[in-house]
Amino acid sequence: VRLIEVNENPKLNEPFKKRYKALKKFCFEFEDLCIHPAESEREMILEGKILNHCVSSYASQHANGKTSIFFIRHKEYPEEPYFTLEFNFNKMRVVQNRGFKNCDRTAEVKKKKKEWLSYVKEVVEKGKAA
C-alpha cells in the first residue's frame, strides 16, 4: 500500500532526495562491489521485499537523518539488492549489515565494508577541516 502511495505522490519522496544529496559523497566502488545511500522510499521498500528483511521500516528514520541506510550491490547488477547496511554517523559505526533473510555478511562484504568505513571516515574528516 505504501509503495502505491509513494508512486502516486512524488512529494512524499522530497525528504529522501535531500538525504541522498547529503549522503551521495559516501558512494563507493571497489573491485566488484559498490555502495550507495538509499535514494527513495520506493527503493527501500523493494530492497526489503527482495531481501526479505525489514529495511523499509527504517524509511522515515533515514529520510529524517536519524540513521543512514546504504545498499551494497554487485557492479554487474547495480539494481539487484545484495546487502543492506545501516550506518550511524554520530558514532561512526555500522549498526547492522544484512543480506537475504537477514543473513550475516559474507567474508567479501565484511572486507569491503571495512574499506568503505575507512573511506567514510576520511570524507568526514576532510569535511571537518574545510
Side-chain angles (χ1 to χ4, degrees), residues 6-130:
V6 169
N7 285 336
E8 290 179 355
N9 186 353
K11 288 198 178 232
L12 292 175
N13 219 20
E14 290 302 318
F16 282 89
K17 288 180 182 178
K18 287 177 97 173
R19 188 77 172 129
Y20 180 79
K21 187 176 179 182
L23 295 175
K24 70 180 179 180
K25 62 187 167 207
F26 301 107
C27 289
F28 193 65
E29 290 189 4
F30 38 78
E31 296 171 14
D32 60 336
L33 295 180
C34 56
I35 295 179
H36 72 275
E39 196 166 352
S40 68
E41 187 171 0
R42 178 183 188 281
E43 187 178 35
M44 289 183 72
I45 291 168
L46 294 175
E47 179 92 357
K49 287 195 177 296
I50 293 168
L51 292 181
N52 198 18
H53 62 42
C54 66
V55 71
S56 64
S57 67
Y58 293 86
S60 65
Q61 293 172 337
H62 171 77
N64 295 327
K66 291 181 180 165
T67 196
S68 301
I69 303 297
F70 291 83
F71 301 136
I72 300 174
R73 305 278 198 253
H74 283 286
K75 281 186 187 178
E76 294 178 29
Y77 311 104
E79 300 300 319
E80 186 177 309
Y82 184 46
F83 276 83
T84 310
L85 183 147
E86 179 185 6
F87 190 75
N88 180 316
F89 278 96
N90 292 329
K91 295 180 180 177
M92 290 303 289
R93 71 176 189 90
V94 173
V95 177
Q96 57 183 326
N97 185 194
R98 298 291 178 189
F100 185 67
K101 292 187 176 180
N102 281 319
C103 73
D104 201 9
R105 300 166 294 195
T106 64
E108 173 194 37
V109 169
K110 193 179 283 190
K111 178 183 173 216
K112 304 304 181 188
K113 182 220 51 147
K114 285 182 182 179
E115 292 177 32
W116 176 76
L117 186 54
S118 293
Y119 172 75
V120 168
K121 288 177 179 180
E122 182 181 311
V123 171
V124 168
E125 286 303 313
K126 283 181 183 176
K128 287 180 182 176

